[in-house]
């Protein structure tokens, strides 16, 4: 029986990736559909994608699949043929990364989850099939030319901070499950207006559009393929680009430039900057925005305290970070904002 998970160290996998000479393409895709046995589906998927040297992060659940991956250029056609051979994924939209160096992932991880997007929805009457209407890049631009149209960003606060569409409303939260009820509350008086929701690749805003319809909203749209597809189509079709700044992505790149504007500021000195990084102190690992000057000044750390830690002997560093939880350690100004 084939091995259905990685057995090589992360350090070795990163080294191999950096030594690769064949270019890779970073892709994201998702599909909501009922999956009878996610574990069986996961194992079959792993065997085929591992054989094609696909790297990335994929979640499968009874409600469908959510994937962010990179594929060697020479295997791209074979990958697409295999993916489309799966009935529920035949013709699924593949979002090609906008600003891609091919170094987004270095290992393949496929996990079974309760949901492909953690939403906190427990109402059995909620139906993902009753979702908002797709809009493409051209239609998005046309609808948002009307000042009465409401544009809602369904991403986390740190994503919105570095880039968003013109006139987009931020729902200032840490998680998508927090955002859904917050969005309903914020938009309660606008149930009859045109509301367009967007996110990175489409998966969150599609569910959010269904949730708003479930809550009695009337004219709900969501941007097909999210920011990634919009940026590609706007460029291909010569459309005005209404996105400002950088699109945050959940891979090693941490962002892809959509426009040349820098709309965020360094969290340490306040100068214009939009490069996210993780504090190099492994006991902290805070995700924050840091300019090049501060990166040099603080040795890639978020503070002088962490800078002191990284210069301690490794054994002392290990003792300090023992038992430290850092999964959600993200710089957050949203809690002081008016909601």
């Amino acid at each position: 029986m084939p091995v259905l998970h990685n057995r090589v160290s992360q350090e070795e996998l990163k080294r191999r990736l950096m030594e690769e000479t064949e270019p890779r393409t970073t892709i994201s895709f998702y599909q909501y559909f009922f999956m009878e046995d996610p574990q069986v589906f996961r194992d079959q998927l792993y065997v085929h994608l591992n054989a094609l040297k696909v790297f990335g992060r994929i979640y499968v659940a009874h409600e469908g699949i959510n994937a962010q991956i990179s594929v060697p250029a020479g295997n791209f056609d074979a990958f697409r043929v295999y993916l489309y051979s799966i009935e529920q994924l035949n013709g699924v939209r593949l979002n090609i990364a906008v600003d891609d160096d091919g170094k987004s992932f270095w290992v393949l991880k496929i996990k079974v989850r309760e949901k492909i997007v953690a939403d906190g929805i427990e109402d059995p009457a909620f139906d993902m099939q009753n979702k908002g209407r797709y809009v493409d890049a051209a239609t998005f631009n046309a609808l948002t030319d009307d000042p009465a149209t409401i544009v809602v960003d369904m991403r986390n606060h740190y994503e919105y901070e570095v880039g968003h569409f013109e006139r987009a409303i931020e729902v200032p939260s840490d998680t998508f499950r927090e955002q859904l009820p917050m969005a309903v509350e914020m938009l309660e008086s606008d149930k009859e207006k045109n509301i367009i929701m967007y996110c990175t690749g489409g998966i969150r805003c599609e569910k959010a559009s269904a949730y708003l319809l479930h809550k009695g909203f009337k004219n709900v749209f969501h941007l097909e393929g999210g920011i990634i597809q919009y940026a590609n189509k706007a460029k291909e079709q010569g459309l005005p680009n209404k996105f400002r700044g950088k699109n945050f992505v959940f891979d090693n790149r941490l962002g892809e430039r959509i426009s040349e504007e820098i709309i965020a500021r360094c969290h340490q000195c306040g100068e214009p900057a939009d490069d996210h990084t993780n504090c190099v102190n492994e006991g902290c690992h805070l995700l924050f925005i840091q300019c090049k000057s501060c990166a040099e000044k603080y040795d890639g750390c978020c503070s002088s305290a962490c800078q002191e830690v990284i210069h301690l002997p490794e054994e002392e560093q290990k003792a300090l970070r023992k038992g430290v939880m850092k999964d959600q350690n993200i710089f957050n100004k949203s809690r002081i904002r008016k909601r």
Side-chain angles (χ1 to χ4, degrees):
M1 181 176 178
V3 176
L4 301 181
H5 57 84
N6 170 62
R7 289 183 173 178
V8 182
S9 72
Q10 297 293 308
E11 291 73 18
E12 173 63 16
L13 291 169
K14 289 180 184 180
R15 185 190 65 77
R16 293 179 187 179
L17 174 66
M18 295 306 167
E19 291 179 353
E20 282 189 355
T21 56
E22 182 178 13
R24 284 179 168 268
T25 301
T26 302
I27 303 164
S28 62
F29 66 91
Y30 73 91
Q31 187 78 295
Y32 288 103
F33 67 94
F34 177 70
M35 192 182 299
E36 182 69 36
D37 192 331
Q39 186 64 51
V40 170
F41 185 95
R42 179 264 174 210
D43 291 347
Q44 293 174 345
L45 194 66
Y46 187 94
V47 169
H48 286 89
L49 296 190
N50 190 52
L52 292 171
K53 299 180 180 178
V54 171
F55 298 157
R57 181 191 309 112
I58 302 175
Y59 299 137
V60 296
H62 287 294
E63 70 171 356
I65 184 170
N66 180 19
Q68 295 87 40
I69 59 172
S70 76
V71 184
N75 291 346
F76 182 83
D77 289 340
F79 159 75
R80 184 165 51 189
V81 167
Y82 164 68
L83 195 69
Y84 287 1
S85 73
I86 301 171
E87 181 181 358
Q88 299 92 335
L89 300 180
N90 186 18
V92 68
R93 179 184 59 255
L94 300 177
N95 282 336
I96 307 298
V98 178
D99 186 10
D100 188 17
D101 61 4
K103 306 301 182 184
S104 48
F105 299 100
W106 53 84
V107 65
L108 177 62
K109 295 181 180 180
I110 307 180
K111 298 183 178 182
V112 175
R113 292 286 180 87
E114 182 179 348
K115 292 186 177 182
I116 54 174
V117 179
D119 53 34
I121 300 172
E122 297 180 357
D123 187 349
F126 174 73
D127 182 8
M128 259 309 301
Q129 299 306 309
N130 182 31
K131 59 191 178 185
R133 286 166 282 178
Y134 279 134
V135 292
D136 58 17
T139 307
F140 178 91
N141 279 4
L143 282 170
T144 54
D145 282 341
D146 181 354
T149 298
I150 297 175
V151 186
V152 184
D153 191 312
M154 290 307 299
R155 300 172 303 150
N156 298 325
H157 67 90
Y158 55 90
E159 299 172 77
Y160 180 93
E161 185 175 9
V162 294
H164 51 261
F165 281 105
E166 296 172 357
R167 298 195 300 105
I169 296 173
E170 178 188 11
V171 186
S173 60
D174 295 325
T175 66
F176 183 65
R177 66 168 61 235
E178 289 179 338
Q179 275 189 318
L180 289 176
M182 286 175 64
V184 170
E185 182 180 352
M186 291 172 63
L187 300 169
E188 186 64 35
S189 61
D190 300 311
K191 283 191 172 182
E192 304 299 325
K193 293 183 179 180
N194 285 339
I195 298 173
I196 301 181
M197 318 190 90
Y198 72 88
C199 58
T200 306
I203 188 169
R204 287 177 283 181
C205 56
E206 184 165 327
K207 180 169 281 189
S209 73
Y211 188 73
L212 257 62
L213 289 173
H214 179 65
K215 291 295 183 178
F217 288 76
K218 305 299 181 184
N219 303 306
V220 184
F221 304 85
H222 57 104
L223 182 59
E224 183 176 11
I227 298 163
I228 298 173
Q229 172 112 328
Y230 174 91
N232 284 323
K233 293 300 181 182
K235 185 177 181 179
E236 289 173 13
Q237 299 170 14
L239 302 172
N241 175 23
K242 292 194 173 190
F243 190 89
R244 298 291 175 254
K246 180 183 283 188
N247 180 34
F248 184 94
V249 291
F250 294 89
D251 59 52
N252 197 51
R253 296 171 297 152
L254 290 179
E256 50 186 16
R257 182 140 317 272
I258 306 298
S259 81
E260 294 305 313
E261 296 166 273
I262 296 177
I263 67 171
R265 292 187 176 276
C266 175
H267 289 158
Q268 290 172 308
C269 71
E271 288 298 308
D274 60 5
D275 288 333
H276 273 99
T277 188
N278 289 105
C279 178
V280 297
N281 174 14
E282 285 297 319
C284 172
H285 210 61
L286 178 76
L287 179 68
F288 70 111
I289 297 172
Q290 186 177 54
C291 68
K292 290 180 172 59
S293 176
C294 287
E296 182 176 345
K297 178 180 178 180
Y298 293 99
D299 295 327
C301 292
C302 69
S303 64
S304 298
C306 280
Q307 188 177 22
E308 291 177 8
V309 169
I310 67 169
H311 293 297
L312 293 173
E314 182 58 31
E315 288 305 313
E316 288 188 42
Q317 291 187 50
K318 287 181 179 179
L320 286 173
R321 63 176 178 256
K322 187 176 181 180
V324 172
M325 299 297 291
K326 59 185 180 182
D327 290 347
Q328 296 295 322
N329 200 10
I330 298 167
F331 186 87
N332 185 352
K333 292 187 293 186
S334 71
R335 296 197 181 280
I336 63 173
R337 295 175 183 159
K338 183 179 178 181
R339 294 192 176 186

